Amino acid sequence: NASLLGILQHPDGTVLKQLQPPPRGPREQEFYSKVYDSNCCDSILLELREYLPKYFGVWSPPTAPNDTYLKLEDVTRKFNKPCIMDVKIGQKSYDPYASAEKIQQQVSKYPLMEEIGFLVLGMRVYHMSSDSYETQNQHYGRSLTKETVKDGISKFFHSGYCLRKDVVAASIQKIEKILEWFEGQTQLNFYASSLLFVYEGSCQATTVRLSDVTLAEKRGVPKGLLSGGDVLEYNNNIHVINSTENGKIDASVSKGLSKFYALHKKACSKRHHSQLSLKVENSEQDNVWKSSTCITQEHLNGNVLPQLEKVFYHMPAETKESANVEVRMIDFAHVFPSNTKDEGYIYGLKNLITVLQNILDN
């Protein structure tokens, strides 16, 4: 479902997030450009990169050069059955320059923001028992009160069989790192910004298949991102596209994207965009990517196997072991320079940690 505004999944391991109208879109682009500037030597910003999706610049479809997309790492990509939750953080979801009308609108959406300090915008949880996803939209989060927020969030960590306490514990550790960063910086304040949580819902490790030969079953091999992004697994066929260089997409892929983009434009509705939309499950859109060159069987042994071995043997140890939970900051249309600690965001993080700790303890 790619109809949630502006998030497209690209087979090269990135997502395309459509830039919002000014001033929000340009502000978000400026934020990413600043943090990921290759000349950046501010240790605060350099550390912040660890908690964000990687940024690969902007992209526009050749057919509509005025439509701009941020090209971002797809944080869900390495997971087989990704469970995803988007939580807005802070006591105010309106920024310091918001009109009285905007403030009123934001507060009325969730009057408890000030007191709770966060709001669940949506979740998608894989249930092993039924082999299906359960989805909750933004109305779910807004229905949660101080009394029910703990049970409301614990739903995200429930597999249908059991409460994933391992995931809760790992999530707390990751939020604590982000909290430490916030305690140490006084240059940025974040409003209406979210944390994206992703963990593996299936007990199967990610499998990379070439034809029907299972070469390896290793957790954490990013689907399709083998050997620096040259080789893609897509619909169990192996396709090759040229490596993208600095996030620029080569012409044939660009053409595919234009068609992809046109289809997306048709389907696009103005609902809240968040990285929960993700998978594009439309067969016509699948076909866009089938035009890539297919590798023939005799090439497989020569080319791909050594490349795969390279991937398996040279992955960092931590990826092999326990990269089973991701917590990343997303949505930066309301980030402002500041000279104080971001107390509202800190309050939200601390309260979220408290709630998760309660889920763990009971």
Side-chain angles (χ1 to χ4, degrees):
N1 165 19
S3 67
L4 289 176
L5 183 64
I7 295 280
L8 292 173
Q9 206 170 30
H10 185 307
D12 71 359
T14 62
V15 290
L16 296 169
K17 176 182 180 180
Q18 192 163 19
L19 220 58
Q20 298 173 70
R24 290 171 302 160
R27 204 186 286 129
E28 181 161 39
Q29 183 186 341
E30 192 189 345
F31 170 79
Y32 274 114
S33 309
K34 184 177 167 177
V35 175
Y36 283 94
D37 183 346
S38 54
N39 299 318
C40 173
C41 53
D42 177 339
S43 60
I44 300 257
L45 297 184
L46 292 174
E47 190 196 332
L48 179 58
R49 291 179 185 180
E50 292 174 40
Y51 312 122
L52 269 46
K54 289 189 187 70
Y55 173 64
F56 302 102
V58 293
W59 178 82
S60 296
T63 48
N66 296 331
D67 282 4
T68 308
Y69 288 79
L70 300 171
K71 205 163 187 289
L72 301 166
E73 170 189 8
D74 177 0
V75 180
T76 69
R77 187 171 185 89
K78 68 180 179 193
F79 297 96
N80 184 15
K81 299 286 185 188
C83 299
I84 306 167
M85 177 169 66
D86 180 337
V87 183
K88 191 193 277 192
I89 306 289
Q91 291 178 285
K92 296 180 168 68
S93 53
Y94 53 88
D95 67 48
Y97 303 95
S99 63
E101 189 186 6
K102 178 72 177 173
I103 293 173
Q104 177 54 44
Q105 178 220 3
Q106 285 298 319
V107 170
S108 64
K109 269 189 183 172
Y110 194 57
L112 294 171
M113 198 74 185
E114 192 84 34
E115 188 184 3
I116 295 178
F118 60 84
L119 165 64
V120 177
L121 291 177
M123 65 172 74
R124 186 167 177 254
V125 188
Y126 176 73
H127 285 168
M128 280 192 282
S129 42
S130 57
D131 185 30
S132 63
Y133 280 98
E134 183 186 348
T135 305
Q136 302 292 348
N137 66 17
Q138 48 185 324
H139 300 293
Y140 174 79
R142 287 195 221 149
S143 73
L144 299 177
T145 65
K146 222 177 153 183
E147 289 67 46
T148 61
V149 70
K150 175 179 154 240
D151 289 343
I153 281 197
S154 70
K155 194 190 261 283
F156 175 63
F157 299 100
H158 213 285
S159 71
Y161 288 126
C162 65
L163 180 67
R164 292 288 303 275
K165 290 201 166 189
D166 57 323
V167 178
V168 182
S171 299
I172 292 171
Q173 287 185 326
K174 304 228 162 179
I175 301 168
E176 280 172 342
K177 293 282 294 173
I178 294 171
L179 176 58
E180 267 175 48
W181 182 84
F182 271 90
E183 292 283 17
Q185 70 90 22
T186 56
Q187 54 174 291
L188 293 170
N189 282 2
F190 295 74
Y191 302 89
S193 186
S194 287
L195 287 183
L196 186 74
F197 291 78
V198 191
Y199 72 90
E200 181 57 72
S202 80
C203 52
Q204 270 180 302
T206 308
T207 308
V208 177
R209 287 176 193 280
L210 294 184
S211 353
D212 288 314
V213 185
T214 300
L215 288 174
E217 298 216 6
K218 291 263 188 188
R219 187 181 290 275
V221 175
K223 257 185 286 186
L225 280 190
L226 311 173
S227 159
D230 298 348
V231 182
L232 283 178
E233 178 206 38
Y234 197 67
N235 286 359
N236 284 340
N237 298 318
I238 303 296
H239 302 299
V240 172
I241 60 172
N242 299 338
S243 283
T244 57
E245 185 193 338
N246 298 332
K248 294 194 189 72
I249 304 177
D250 76 280
S252 63
V253 177
S254 199
K255 215 164 66 205
L257 261 176
S258 297
K259 181 173 166 198
F260 188 51
Y261 159 85
L263 290 166
H264 161 72
K265 256 328 219 197
K266 265 197 325 214
C268 208
S269 73
K270 294 284 178 209
R271 294 207 308 272
H272 172 80
H273 70 279
S274 83
Q275 294 205 342
L276 291 176
S277 50
L278 301 183
K279 290 275 181 282
V280 177
E281 282 155 37
N282 172 318
S283 59
E284 193 185 353
Q285 287 166 337
D286 280 357
N287 290 334
V288 173
W289 298 106
K290 287 189 181 145
S291 56
S292 319
T293 335
C294 245
I295 304 180
T296 55
Q297 196 59 45
E298 60 266 24
H299 282 129
L300 280 179
N301 301 343
N303 277 344
V304 181
L305 293 177
Q307 292 180 346
L308 276 172
E309 281 168 9
K310 235 174 16 201
V311 173
F312 293 132
Y313 295 131
H314 302 296
M315 283 173 74
E318 56 142 16
T319 316
K320 285 188 198 132
E321 298 314 317
S322 65
N324 61 343
V325 184
E326 288 285 355
V327 179
R328 304 286 185 96
M329 297 168 61
I330 59 168
D331 289 344
F332 305 112
H334 303 274
V335 178
F336 293 88
S338 151
N339 48 22
T340 60
K341 277 209 276 193
D342 190 340
E343 296 298 352
Y345 199 109
I346 289 172
Y347 176 94
L349 289 180
K350 285 183 171 170
N351 202 30
L352 182 54
I353 291 169
T354 303
V355 170
L356 293 175
Q357 198 58 59
N358 284 339
I359 292 171
L360 209 51
D361 295 341
N362 303 326

